[in-house]
Amino acid sequence: MDYANLISGGHPQALPEDRPLMNSRVLGMVNFGPVFQKPVLEEGSPFLSLRMTSADEKGFVEQWTAGPAQASVSGDLVYAHDGEYLFCAAEIPASERCRNLTRETYLAAFELMDELGYPRLFRMWNYIPRINEDNADGLEIYRDFCAGRSEAFELYGRRRHLPMPAATGIGAQGGNIAFFFLSCRSGRVTFLENPRQMPAYTYPRQYGPRSPSFARATCVQHDALGVLNLYISGTASIIGHETVHRSDLIRQCDVTLENISLLIGRDNLIRHGIETPADLTLRDVDFIKVYVRHAEDIPVVRRRCREAFAPHANIQFLNVDICRSDLLVEIEGIITVPLRADGTQDGAGLKPRWLVHEETSDQ
Ligand code: 3EB
């Protein structure tokens, strides 16, 4: 695949291998760049391009690899699966109200998971342009989206128990609403809540006609694989159900980081029946996406995040709106814990990696 052409002419950094993995092992790819393109099969792999940067920033490509995969398209859904994992991406076409199409697209995705045999939904990402603007009825687009999503979970829940996955629901700089998700066949999946936050799916009515449908994190364990993964949802400066430190960027950063620490800390994992060989801290988090409402806040947020996270962690900062107009920052990430003393792992498992564009020398 020619990433350079797909992503506005930049030059991706050399990969650990001297060329990208065979496409058959790529489960899906998401470009966080300047142009929206609905999901398609690109050289045999699902590919979604989100408008998450300005025209002169090149962004990065998130690539999910697993075992040898088969890819296909079904209606609005573009997907690939390897026998254990399913990656699926979809666009929700533009409309004056997104509730119905959100519900229908989500329902189609749930049905696909069932049909293909990957019912354990563990992580979803939702990118919503104009997220804080009103729809044709004067309802905030995020709230309209939440209504459709919640209806889909409720309707499908009547047929089959479907717990809410870890998720991100965040703004985008343009394009249509789009989502992508990961589900699995046999992994042990545990959904986590945060002791200091009300479960989002029980938020009171003041935040919209229907509550957001997500858990604070998911733990996915494959005993044979020798690793445990924790997928941390988008996390913000919310305590209970309330935004705290409305116009204080630094305090919002700190509460967000504390929320993640509490979520992944020993006490909370034990509360959810999860045992890890060592205590997990912010230093264990990788593939961190930091969403920042105001571009001019990024340097301060970057400094704070660089102190909090490990120096080798992959971090990207994206300037987009956040689902509540009083939130200035939101952070998500992934933790991979080796379970064997010798750190060995059987099989490929599921791995993200980021193809990041080099700064050109004249910048
Ligand atoms: C919150 O805690 C902040 O709607 O999928 C975080 C993660 C948030 C996911 C979603 C929203 C979503 O309520 C917002």
Side-chain angles (χ1 to χ4, degrees), residues 105-118:
T105 313
Y106 255 73
L107 282 171
F110 295 161
E111 239 145 68
L112 182 81
M113 287 168 17
D114 256 12
E115 270 165 34
L116 296 173
Y118 302 89

Side-chain angles (χ1 to χ4, degrees), residues 39 46 50 52 76 178 216 291 296 318:
L50 298 167
M52 298 293 287
D76 293 328
R216 300 295 173 184
Y291 304 100
E296 64 272 22
L318 296 160

